[in-house]
Short mmCIF file of all heavy atoms in Angstrom, two decimals:
data_model
loop_
_atom_site.label_atom_id
_atom_site.label_comp_id
_atom_site.label_asym_id
_atom_site.label_seq_id
_atom_site.Cartn_x
_atom_site.Cartn_y
_atom_site.Cartn_z
N LEU M 288 61.36 143.11 73.79
CA LEU M 288 62.59 142.40 74.17
C LEU M 288 62.34 141.48 75.36
O LEU M 288 62.81 140.33 75.39
CB LEU M 288 63.70 143.43 74.49
CG LEU M 288 65.04 142.86 74.98
CD1 LEU M 288 65.60 141.83 74.01
CD2 LEU M 288 66.06 144.00 75.17
N LYS M 289 61.57 141.94 76.31
CA LYS M 289 61.27 141.09 77.47
C LYS M 289 60.51 139.83 77.05
O LYS M 289 60.75 138.75 77.58
CB LYS M 289 60.45 141.86 78.50
CG LYS M 289 61.28 142.81 79.35
CD LYS M 289 60.39 143.35 80.44
CE LYS M 289 61.00 144.49 81.18
NZ LYS M 289 60.06 145.13 82.10
N LYS M 290 59.59 140.01 76.09
CA LYS M 290 58.81 138.84 75.62
C LYS M 290 59.75 137.79 75.02
O LYS M 290 59.63 136.60 75.28
CB LYS M 290 57.80 139.28 74.54
CG LYS M 290 56.39 139.43 75.07
CD LYS M 290 55.43 139.61 73.91
CE LYS M 290 54.77 140.97 73.98
NZ LYS M 290 54.21 141.48 72.75
N VAL M 291 60.69 138.29 74.20
CA VAL M 291 61.63 137.37 73.55
C VAL M 291 62.48 136.65 74.61
O VAL M 291 62.71 135.44 74.54
CB VAL M 291 62.54 138.15 72.55
CG1 VAL M 291 63.62 137.25 71.99
CG2 VAL M 291 61.71 138.76 71.44
N ILE M 292 62.93 137.41 75.62
CA ILE M 292 63.76 136.80 76.67
C ILE M 292 62.93 135.80 77.48
O ILE M 292 63.41 134.71 77.82
CB ILE M 292 64.38 137.89 77.58
CG1 ILE M 292 65.38 138.73 76.79
CG2 ILE M 292 65.05 137.28 78.81
CD1 ILE M 292 65.88 139.97 77.49
N ALA M 293 61.68 136.17 77.75
CA ALA M 293 60.80 135.26 78.50
C ALA M 293 60.65 133.94 77.74
O ALA M 293 60.72 132.85 78.31
CB ALA M 293 59.44 135.92 78.73
N ASN M 294 60.49 134.06 76.42
CA ASN M 294 60.37 132.88 75.58
C ASN M 294 61.60 131.99 75.62
O ASN M 294 61.50 130.77 75.68
CB ASN M 294 60.22 133.34 74.12
CG ASN M 294 58.88 132.95 73.60
OD1 ASN M 294 58.31 131.96 74.05
ND2 ASN M 294 58.37 133.75 72.66
N ARG M 295 62.76 132.62 75.61
CA ARG M 295 64.02 131.86 75.57
C ARG M 295 64.36 131.24 76.92
O ARG M 295 65.00 130.21 76.99
CB ARG M 295 65.19 132.78 75.20
CG ARG M 295 65.43 132.90 73.72
CD ARG M 295 66.69 133.71 73.45
NE ARG M 295 67.93 133.00 73.77
CZ ARG M 295 68.44 132.04 73.03
NH1 ARG M 295 67.84 131.65 71.92
NH2 ARG M 295 69.57 131.45 73.38
N THR M 296 63.95 131.93 78.01
CA THR M 296 64.42 131.50 79.33
C THR M 296 63.35 130.78 80.15
O THR M 296 63.68 130.10 81.12
CB THR M 296 64.90 132.71 80.17
OG1 THR M 296 63.79 133.62 80.30
CG2 THR M 296 66.06 133.42 79.51
N GLY M 297 62.10 130.99 79.79
CA GLY M 297 61.01 130.40 80.60
C GLY M 297 60.64 131.28 81.79
O GLY M 297 59.73 130.96 82.55
N ALA M 298 61.34 132.41 81.95
CA ALA M 298 60.97 133.34 83.04
C ALA M 298 59.74 134.12 82.61
O ALA M 298 59.40 134.16 81.42
CB ALA M 298 62.13 134.31 83.30
N SER M 299 59.05 134.73 83.59
CA SER M 299 57.90 135.54 83.20
C SER M 299 58.37 136.96 82.91
O SER M 299 59.41 137.40 83.42
CB SER M 299 56.84 135.54 84.31
OG SER M 299 57.30 136.33 85.38
N VAL M 300 57.60 137.65 82.08
CA VAL M 300 57.96 139.01 81.69
C VAL M 300 58.14 139.90 82.92
O VAL M 300 59.03 140.76 82.97
CB VAL M 300 56.84 139.56 80.75
CG1 VAL M 300 56.93 141.06 80.62
CG2 VAL M 300 56.93 138.89 79.40
N GLU M 301 57.33 139.66 83.95
CA GLU M 301 57.39 140.49 85.16
C GLU M 301 58.71 140.31 85.91
O GLU M 301 59.08 141.15 86.73
CB GLU M 301 56.24 140.14 86.13
CG GLU M 301 54.84 140.48 85.63
CD GLU M 301 54.34 139.53 84.54
OE1 GLU M 301 54.81 138.36 84.51
OE2 GLU M 301 53.53 139.96 83.71
N GLN M 302 59.38 139.19 85.67
CA GLN M 302 60.65 138.95 86.39
C GLN M 302 61.85 139.63 85.72
O GLN M 302 62.93 139.68 86.30
CB GLN M 302 60.95 137.45 86.41
CG GLN M 302 60.09 136.62 87.31
CD GLN M 302 60.53 135.17 87.21
OE1 GLN M 302 60.14 134.45 86.28
NE2 GLN M 302 61.37 134.75 88.13
N ILE M 303 61.64 140.09 84.48
CA ILE M 303 62.79 140.51 83.67
C ILE M 303 62.96 142.03 83.70
O ILE M 303 62.01 142.78 83.59
CB ILE M 303 62.59 140.04 82.20
CG1 ILE M 303 62.51 138.51 82.17
CG2 ILE M 303 63.71 140.55 81.30
CD1 ILE M 303 62.00 137.94 80.86
N ILE M 304 64.22 142.46 83.85
CA ILE M 304 64.54 143.89 83.72
C ILE M 304 65.70 144.00 82.72
O ILE M 304 66.67 143.23 82.79
CB ILE M 304 65.03 144.50 85.05
CG1 ILE M 304 64.03 144.27 86.17
CG2 ILE M 304 65.34 145.99 84.87
CD1 ILE M 304 62.94 145.27 86.31
N ILE M 305 65.57 144.96 81.82
CA ILE M 305 66.63 145.19 80.85
C ILE M 305 67.55 146.29 81.40
O ILE M 305 67.09 147.30 81.91
CB ILE M 305 66.05 145.67 79.48
CG1 ILE M 305 64.94 144.70 79.00
CG2 ILE M 305 67.16 145.82 78.44
CD1 ILE M 305 65.36 143.27 78.79
N GLU M 409 75.70 135.53 85.14
CA GLU M 409 75.97 134.58 84.05
C GLU M 409 76.26 135.32 82.74
O GLU M 409 75.74 134.99 81.69
CB GLU M 409 74.77 133.64 83.91
CG GLU M 409 74.53 132.81 85.16
CD GLU M 409 73.35 131.83 85.03
OE1 GLU M 409 72.65 131.85 84.00
OE2 GLU M 409 73.14 131.05 85.98
N TYR M 412 77.31 133.01 80.05
CA TYR M 412 76.48 131.80 79.98
C TYR M 412 76.54 131.12 78.61
O TYR M 412 76.58 129.89 78.52
CB TYR M 412 75.03 132.17 80.32
CG TYR M 412 74.04 131.14 79.85
CD1 TYR M 412 73.93 129.91 80.51
CD2 TYR M 412 73.25 131.36 78.72
CE1 TYR M 412 73.05 128.95 80.06
CE2 TYR M 412 72.37 130.40 78.27
CZ TYR M 412 72.27 129.19 78.94
OH TYR M 412 71.42 128.24 78.49
N ASP M 413 76.55 131.92 77.53
CA ASP M 413 76.48 131.32 76.20
C ASP M 413 77.70 130.46 75.88
O ASP M 413 77.68 129.66 74.94
CB ASP M 413 76.29 132.41 75.13
CG ASP M 413 74.94 133.07 75.31
OD1 ASP M 413 73.93 132.45 74.97
OD2 ASP M 413 74.89 134.20 75.85
N THR M 418 73.85 127.03 84.15
CA THR M 418 73.02 128.07 84.73
C THR M 418 72.32 127.60 86.01
O THR M 418 72.10 126.39 86.19
CB THR M 418 71.95 128.55 83.72
OG1 THR M 418 71.12 129.53 84.35
CG2 THR M 418 71.07 127.41 83.23
N PHE M 419 71.98 128.56 86.84
CA PHE M 419 71.19 128.27 88.04
C PHE M 419 69.74 128.74 87.87
O PHE M 419 68.98 128.77 88.83
CB PHE M 419 71.84 128.91 89.27
CG PHE M 419 72.91 128.03 89.87
CD1 PHE M 419 74.17 127.99 89.30
CD2 PHE M 419 72.65 127.23 90.97
CE1 PHE M 419 75.15 127.16 89.81
CE2 PHE M 419 73.62 126.39 91.49
CZ PHE M 419 74.88 126.36 90.91
N LEU M 420 69.38 129.07 86.64
CA LEU M 420 68.06 129.64 86.37
C LEU M 420 66.92 128.79 86.92
O LEU M 420 65.98 129.30 87.55
CB LEU M 420 67.91 129.84 84.85
CG LEU M 420 66.64 130.49 84.36
CD1 LEU M 420 66.52 131.89 84.92
CD2 LEU M 420 66.64 130.54 82.83
N GLU M 421 67.01 127.49 86.70
CA GLU M 421 65.87 126.63 87.11
C GLU M 421 65.69 126.58 88.63
O GLU M 421 64.63 126.24 89.14
CB GLU M 421 65.98 125.20 86.51
CG GLU M 421 67.08 124.34 87.05
CD GLU M 421 68.45 124.68 86.47
OE1 GLU M 421 68.59 125.60 85.64
OE2 GLU M 421 69.42 123.99 86.85
N GLN M 422 66.75 126.99 89.35
CA GLN M 422 66.67 127.01 90.82
C GLN M 422 65.79 128.14 91.35
O GLN M 422 65.45 128.17 92.51
CB GLN M 422 68.08 127.21 91.39
CG GLN M 422 69.04 126.10 91.08
CD GLN M 422 68.93 124.99 92.09
OE1 GLN M 422 68.62 125.24 93.25
NE2 GLN M 422 69.17 123.77 91.66
N MET M 423 65.46 129.09 90.46
CA MET M 423 64.67 130.24 90.92
C MET M 423 63.28 129.83 91.38
O MET M 423 62.67 130.52 92.19
CB MET M 423 64.57 131.30 89.82
CG MET M 423 65.89 132.01 89.59
SD MET M 423 65.73 133.43 88.51
CE MET M 423 64.94 134.62 89.59
N GLU M 424 62.80 128.71 90.85
CA GLU M 424 61.47 128.24 91.27
C GLU M 424 61.46 127.85 92.74
O GLU M 424 60.49 128.06 93.46
CB GLU M 424 61.07 127.02 90.45
CG GLU M 424 60.39 127.41 89.16
CD GLU M 424 60.01 126.21 88.33
OE1 GLU M 424 59.80 125.12 88.90
OE2 GLU M 424 59.97 126.38 87.10
N ILE M 431 69.45 136.16 88.53
CA ILE M 431 70.35 135.77 87.43
C ILE M 431 70.58 136.99 86.54
O ILE M 431 69.62 137.66 86.14
CB ILE M 431 69.70 134.66 86.55
CG1 ILE M 431 69.26 133.45 87.38
CG2 ILE M 431 70.61 134.27 85.39
CD1 ILE M 431 70.34 132.52 87.80
N LEU M 432 71.86 137.28 86.26
CA LEU M 432 72.18 138.36 85.32
C LEU M 432 72.81 137.77 84.07
O LEU M 432 73.61 136.84 84.15
CB LEU M 432 73.18 139.34 85.95
CG LEU M 432 72.76 140.10 87.21
CD1 LEU M 432 73.87 141.05 87.65
CD2 LEU M 432 71.46 140.86 86.97
N ARG M 433 72.43 138.31 82.94
CA ARG M 433 73.04 137.89 81.66
C ARG M 433 73.41 139.13 80.85
O ARG M 433 72.88 140.21 81.08
CB ARG M 433 72.04 137.04 80.85
CG ARG M 433 71.59 135.77 81.57
CD ARG M 433 72.09 134.53 80.85
NE ARG M 433 71.73 133.33 81.58
CZ ARG M 433 70.80 132.44 81.21
NH1 ARG M 433 70.10 132.65 80.09
NH2 ARG M 433 70.56 131.36 81.91
N SER M 434 74.29 138.93 79.87
CA SER M 434 74.75 140.06 79.06
C SER M 434 74.77 139.67 77.59
O SER M 434 75.08 138.51 77.26
CB SER M 434 76.16 140.43 79.49
OG SER M 434 76.69 141.39 78.62
N LEU M 435 74.48 140.63 76.72
CA LEU M 435 74.63 140.37 75.28
C LEU M 435 75.95 140.94 74.76
O LEU M 435 76.24 140.86 73.58
CB LEU M 435 73.43 140.96 74.50
CG LEU M 435 72.22 140.03 74.40
CD1 LEU M 435 71.55 139.80 75.73
CD2 LEU M 435 71.21 140.54 73.39
N TYR M 447 70.45 141.79 80.85
CA TYR M 447 69.15 141.61 81.48
C TYR M 447 69.29 140.82 82.77
O TYR M 447 70.27 140.11 82.99
CB TYR M 447 68.12 140.96 80.54
CG TYR M 447 68.40 139.55 80.07
CD1 TYR M 447 67.92 138.44 80.77
CD2 TYR M 447 69.13 139.33 78.91
CE1 TYR M 447 68.16 137.15 80.31
CE2 TYR M 447 69.37 138.04 78.44
CZ TYR M 447 68.88 136.96 79.14
OH TYR M 447 69.12 135.67 78.70
N GLY M 448 68.32 141.04 83.63
CA GLY M 448 68.30 140.32 84.90
C GLY M 448 66.98 139.59 85.03
O GLY M 448 65.94 140.08 84.56
N ILE M 449 67.03 138.43 85.67
CA ILE M 449 65.80 137.70 86.01
C ILE M 449 65.72 137.71 87.54
O ILE M 449 66.63 137.21 88.22
CB ILE M 449 65.82 136.28 85.44
CG1 ILE M 449 66.05 136.36 83.92
CG2 ILE M 449 64.53 135.52 85.77
CD1 ILE M 449 66.19 135.04 83.23
N PHE M 450 64.68 138.33 88.04
CA PHE M 450 64.56 138.61 89.47
C PHE M 450 63.31 137.94 90.03
O PHE M 450 62.35 137.71 89.29
CB PHE M 450 64.36 140.12 89.70
CG PHE M 450 65.49 140.99 89.22
CD1 PHE M 450 65.62 141.32 87.88
CD2 PHE M 450 66.43 141.49 90.11
CE1 PHE M 450 66.65 142.14 87.44
CE2 PHE M 450 67.46 142.31 89.68
CZ PHE M 450 67.57 142.64 88.34
N LEU M 479 68.09 137.64 69.62
CA LEU M 479 67.64 136.54 70.49
C LEU M 479 66.53 135.72 69.83
O LEU M 479 66.35 134.55 70.16
CB LEU M 479 67.18 137.09 71.85
CG LEU M 479 68.29 137.69 72.72
CD1 LEU M 479 67.72 138.27 74.00
CD2 LEU M 479 69.37 136.66 73.05
#
Side-chain angles (χ1 to χ4, degrees):
L288 177 54
K289 281 188 191 172
K290 259 191 243 159
V291 174
I292 293 170
N294 245 331
R295 271 186 73 76
T296 59
S299 73
V300 164
E301 293 73 27
Q302 288 180 278
I303 299 167
I304 305 274
I305 308 301
E409 298 181 355
Y412 161 74
D413 294 286
T418 178
F419 275 79
L420 183 61
E421 70 281 1
Q422 296 274 329
M423 289 190 74
E424 273 179 27
I431 306 282
L432 298 181
R433 300 247 176 108
S434 172
L435 274 68
Y447 64 92
I449 304 176
F450 299 80
L479 293 177

